[in-house]
Amino acid sequence: MGKIVLWILVGLAAYAAYRFYIISVRRQERSRPPAKDPSLPEVILKCDHCGVMLPQSEAIAGQREPAKHYCSIEHRRAEEADQ
């Protein structure tokens, strides 16, 4: 009889640990911001200084001419210093 009670307690402890894990995973998923939709393509731009292609989210816009995009701050400074 004692072994049956022990196995019931072990089973309840395992179930409680499983529920605790599931609840914590759900809380983490709710707290994360929604991810971008990977099926949507991102605009690719060309650096106006060196010609490297890069995603729009990583491009640096020009200060004088916002229509120009650069791959780094150094390239923006170099290009704008030449003008």
Side-chain angles (χ1 to χ4, degrees):
M1 181 71 178
K3 286 186 178 184
I4 293 173
V5 173
L6 177 67
W7 282 111
I8 290 174
L9 290 175
V10 168
L12 288 174
Y15 177 74
Y18 171 75
R19 292 291 299 162
F20 180 76
Y21 172 74
I22 294 298
I23 290 170
S24 66
V25 167
R26 286 183 184 161
R27 284 184 184 159
Q28 287 177 352
E29 288 176 355
R30 285 186 204 149
S31 66
R32 271 190 232 144
K36 286 186 175 181
D37 188 3
S39 64
L40 297 175
E42 188 169 359
V43 177
I44 302 295
L45 301 172
K46 184 177 180 181
C47 175
D48 287 320
H49 184 73
C50 66
V52 166
M53 305 297 280
L54 65 154
Q56 185 176 13
S57 62
E58 297 178 18
I60 298 171
Q63 288 180 331
R64 296 183 190 154
E65 297 181 47
K68 290 191 172 192
H69 296 90
Y70 304 98
C71 63
S72 66
I73 294 174
E74 290 81 15
H75 282 187
R76 181 181 70 186
R77 288 179 187 152
E79 186 73 20
E80 291 180 350
D82 290 343
Q83 294 177 357

